[in-house]
Amino acid sequence: MTEQHVQKSIVVLVSGNGSNLQAIIDEIAEKRINAKIVAVIANQETAYGLTRAENAGIPAIYIDHKNFASREEYDKQLADSIDEFNPNLIVLAGFMRILTPAFVERYQGRMLNIHPSLLPKYKGLHTHQRAIDANDKEHGASVHFVTPELDGGPVVLQSKVPVFEQQDVQELAQRVQQQERQMYPLVIKWFCEDRLKMINNRAVLDNQILADEGYAIE
Ligand code: GAR
């Protein structure tokens, strides 16, 4: 793309290691994505993603859910913290909290998530083990827009990996996560170039409505 776009600002939410966050930080540093991560927010004090943010000079914020009486109150604080940075895009990168409908609706069309399964299969947790238990021949990850239905928003991109005989769950998770670190920055790049939108609950890339399984890379 030769066209110039206004630089987008991104807030990333994490709960753990932050390897997806790191992939996005690296792609921005390499100038392959025209964006700035303006804050990283975690719901876990020990989330290594916070350290990754600090190392990259990005404001790192921890919001402890124990200080809030309800999910609604937590999400209100989370939204207030996000809105201080006025971001164009909110990226969930291993953020392991269920979000309230009010929160999700506030950011509809500008919040992305990565989920470690070929959605609509295996919403929720333990996705790698569930794929093995079901004798699936392939597994993978999906990037999707976030809507109030948990892991149910329109898929933008999926990446597949084979599931082998006697598959070890850790090894499968590693191969899926390797794919995640490739695919998430690509989708974020599309969004930041104004090529990707959510319209009428569908993902739209370059004015084309994407299929249920998202954009197909063959
Ligand atoms: C990733 O595998 C992501 O798909 C998953 O958490 C991991 C976070 O890794 N997310 C979910 O399960 C969300 N439901 P990271 O912290 O190293 O990016």
Side-chain angles (χ1 to χ4, degrees), residues 40-206:
V40 171
I41 304 178
N43 66 325
Q44 298 288 344
E45 195 170 12
T46 54
Y48 188 60
L50 289 174
T51 306
R52 293 181 192 272
E54 281 164 7
N55 290 344
I58 299 165
I61 298 161
Y62 161 55
I63 307 176
D64 184 358
H65 66 262
K66 290 192 286 296
N67 295 337
F68 300 89
S70 67
R71 203 171 272 285
E72 283 71 21
E73 282 172 50
Y74 183 90
D75 281 7
K76 174 77 175 66
Q77 179 58 56
L78 188 58
D80 287 349
S81 298
I82 291 170
D83 292 350
E84 275 178 41
F85 296 93
N86 198 21
N88 303 105
L89 175 66
I90 294 96
V91 168
L92 307 184
F95 189 67
M96 303 304 281
R97 265 184 79 85
I98 292 175
L99 296 163
T100 53
F103 181 91
V104 172
E105 272 152 25
R106 185 176 181 130
Y107 301 111
Q108 196 113 248
R110 55 189 183 109
M111 182 155 62
L112 293 167
N113 182 41
I114 190 156
H115 183 75
S117 78
L118 297 174
L119 290 170
K121 277 188 162 181
Y122 314 131
K123 297 174 179 178
L125 299 175
H126 311 302
T127 57
H128 309 300
Q129 190 60 54
R130 286 158 71 194
I132 293 171
D133 292 347
N135 283 320
D136 288 354
K137 294 284 169 274
E138 57 182 18
H139 179 48
S142 308
V143 176
H144 64 95
F145 279 105
V146 179
T147 61
E149 189 197 338
L150 179 69
D151 299 329
V155 170
V156 179
L157 187 61
Q158 291 191 322
S159 185
K160 294 179 181 171
V161 302
V163 183
F164 300 123
E165 298 285 321
Q166 313 285 322
Q167 178 66 62
D168 175 74
V169 69
Q170 302 292 351
E171 195 273 339
L172 180 59
Q174 275 173 17
R175 280 191 286 116
V176 170
Q177 280 169 11
Q178 212 170 11
Q179 294 296 315
E180 290 186 7
R181 295 193 286 269
Q182 306 286 325
M183 69 195 288
Y184 214 0
L186 176 62
V187 172
I188 291 165
K189 177 181 167 68
W190 289 340
F191 187 93
C192 290
E193 290 173 348
D194 295 322
R195 296 172 57 192
L196 175 66
K197 300 196 164 22
M198 188 173 87
I199 300 170
N200 297 332
N201 217 42
R202 303 295 307 218
V204 176
L205 179 65
D206 295 334

